[in-house]
């Protein structure tokens, strides 16, 4: 079956620093990657959609200069949280899709900004 | 854009009873409706899905029904077990929106012994 590897699984960073989260599709080519943010006891909120080789499409209210998304290949997408602040602390999850496997989620990254 | 509402937010049932979770969606162009189970701190796990050309689908103790006219779809779990306790999310995919999934607000299911 399809597998998406997401790293790191958890990270603690200081306020003002940047954090990069990686998602890799291990056995399929992800034509599209979705990035979600999930606050405690809340639903998954889509942040952006990215297609390989093109600029990401951000959802309304998501700052594109703060949440940098790079989808340089069909197997790798990264989300960089720049100048992180405590309110950015959340659970970030990627989801990759192709025409065959549907939606495959990464294991998530717990970000804590102190 | 698509809006998905989910009810109830919490559901407590006795072991062996049935549980039903309901969702409504707003965009008639949505054509794919998955259900996910999420345990604390883990990724969502697909438990069942249904496409818009089907009215009902069943997989052992789990079933999903879809009413396209009313824009409703429901998850039915029979013979509930303690390990069914988790948060369940419905979602809808809109083809015009880059195939993105819009999630419901989630239902915390607790199966009591």
């Amino acid at each position: 079956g399809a597998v998406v590897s997401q790293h790191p699984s958890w990270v603690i960073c200081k306020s003002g620093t940047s954090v990069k989260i990686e998602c890799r599709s291990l056995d399929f080519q992800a034509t599209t990657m979705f990035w979600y943010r999930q606050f405690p006891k809340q639903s998954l909120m889509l942040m952006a959609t990215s297609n390989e080789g093109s600029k990401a499409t951000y959802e309304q209210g998501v700052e594109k200069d703060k949440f940098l998304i790079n989808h340089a290949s069909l197997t790798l997408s990264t989300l960089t949280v720049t100048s992180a602040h405590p309110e950015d602390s959340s659970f970030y999850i990627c989801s990759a899709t192709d025409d065959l496997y549907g939606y495959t989620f990464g294991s998530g990254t717990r970000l804590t900004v102190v | 854009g698509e809006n998905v509402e989910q009810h109830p937010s919490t559901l407590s049932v006795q072991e062996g009873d049935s549980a039903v979770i309901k969702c409504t969606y707003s965009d008639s162009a949505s054509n794919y409706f998955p259900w996910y189970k999420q345990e604390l701190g883990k990724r969502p796990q697909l438990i069942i899905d249904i496409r818009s050309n089907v009215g009902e689908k069943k997989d052992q103790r789990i079933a999903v029904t879809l009413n396209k006219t009313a824009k409703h779809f429901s998850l039915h779990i029979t013979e509930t077990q303690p390990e069914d306790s988790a948060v369940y999310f419905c979602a809808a995919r809109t083809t015009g929106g880059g195939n993105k999934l819009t999630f419901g607000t989630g239902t915390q299911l607790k199966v009591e012994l």
Side-chain angles (χ1 to χ4, degrees):
Chain A
V3 176
V4 171
S5 175
Q6 182 171 347
H7 294 280
S9 56
W10 60 270
V11 58
I12 301 173
C13 71
K14 290 185 177 180
S15 188
T17 62
S18 296
V19 173
K20 180 184 283 189
I21 301 170
E22 283 192 357
C23 276
R24 292 181 183 271
S25 54
L26 298 185
D27 47 7
F28 69 103
Q29 293 185 328
T31 53
T32 305
M33 192 76 79
F34 302 95
W35 287 93
Y36 295 88
R37 179 167 53 182
Q38 186 177 32
F39 291 109
K41 297 190 177 182
Q42 292 189 24
S43 186
L44 286 80
M45 299 303 297
L46 181 66
M47 300 174 67
T49 303
S50 72
N51 293 290
E52 182 262 340
S54 59
K55 289 184 179 180
T57 301
Y58 290 81
E59 295 298 301
Q60 194 171 9
V62 178
E63 300 174 58
K64 59 183 67 178
D65 293 331
K66 181 172 182 62
F67 299 99
L68 302 179
I69 291 171
N70 186 286
H71 194 160
S73 75
L74 283 171
T75 59
L76 174 64
S77 179
T78 61
L79 167 67
T80 301
V81 183
T82 63
S83 187
H85 288 96
E87 57 265 32
D88 298 323
S89 298
S90 188
F91 191 54
Y92 292 85
I93 311 177
C94 63
S95 174
T97 186
D98 68 356
D99 293 334
L100 182 62
Y101 291 110
Y103 300 86
T104 303
F105 286 85
S107 53
T109 297
R110 171 74 58 195
L111 170 64
T112 302
V113 185
V114 298
Chain B
E2 174 67 282
N3 182 49
V4 179
E5 295 188 357
Q6 182 172 346
H7 299 280
S9 57
T10 61
L11 179 59
S12 186
V13 299
Q14 294 292 315
E15 184 181 9
D17 288 349
S18 296
V20 180
I21 303 171
K22 299 182 179 182
C23 288
T24 61
Y25 62 98
S26 61
D27 192 338
S28 56
S30 290
N31 61 3
Y32 173 68
F33 307 92
W35 284 89
Y36 294 92
K37 176 183 180 182
Q38 187 181 32
E39 298 178 346
L40 191 61
K42 301 288 182 64
R43 79 186 84 196
Q45 297 278 1
L46 178 69
I47 56 171
I48 197 166
D49 57 11
I50 192 167
R51 299 185 186 276
S52 58
N53 59 347
V54 177
E56 185 174 356
K57 183 176 178 181
K58 188 175 180 180
D59 182 5
Q60 299 184 346
R61 297 186 298 111
I62 296 173
V64 56
T65 58
L66 171 65
N67 182 329
K68 283 197 313 181
T69 302
K71 297 180 191 168
H72 289 175
F73 57 115
S74 300
L75 176 71
H76 304 253
I77 305 174
T78 59
E79 301 172 30
T80 54
Q81 303 166 0
E83 49 266 38
D84 293 330
S85 297
V87 179
Y88 291 80
F89 292 100
C90 62
R93 179 182 73 187
T94 305
T95 54
N99 289 324
K100 62 184 180 182
L101 290 178
T102 301
F103 283 82
T105 48
T107 297
Q108 175 73 61
L109 174 64
K110 183 177 180 181
V111 180
E112 299 175 331
L113 296 171

